[in-house]
Amino acid sequence: MYVAGHRPTTVQDYVALVEIDLTGELMIAAAAASEDRLSPDRIDEVLEVDGEDGGRADRVPPRRGPAGRCPG
């Protein structure tokens, strides 16, 4: 039986990490909300995006990786 080895822990998908972080922020906001659903304005506020121009998280600022460097 062949078992594939796991990837080294130094490999990180920075986009996935940002998406996980943003999803967590939304979950926290939803749990704290008194209403049934978050309004689009509240979602924009939690994600810190400006919803007026229709822009979403296309322009996510790069996160600092190990040693304080930007990934990529």
Side-chain angles (χ1 to χ4, degrees), residues 14-15 18-19 22 47 49 56-63:
Y14 293 102
V15 173
V18 170
E19 289 176 354
L22 294 174
L47 298 179
V49 296
R56 291 286 179 224
D58 301 337
R59 296 166 277 169
V60 175
R63 297 252 173 175

Side-chain angles (χ1 to χ4, degrees), residues 26 35 37-47 49-52 56:
L26 285 173
E35 61 271 2
R37 295 178 178 219
L38 295 177
S39 70
D41 289 336
R42 179 65 179 130
I43 292 171
D44 288 345
E45 181 182 334
V46 170
L47 298 179
V49 296
D50 183 12
E52 291 180 9
R56 291 286 179 224

Side-chain angles (χ1 to χ4, degrees), residues 7-33:
R7 296 184 343 195
T9 57
T10 57
V11 175
Q12 293 185 7
D13 184 340
Y14 293 102
V15 173
L17 293 175
V18 170
E19 289 176 354
I20 291 167
D21 186 46
L22 294 174
T23 301
E25 294 295 327
L26 285 173
M27 291 172 64
I28 292 168

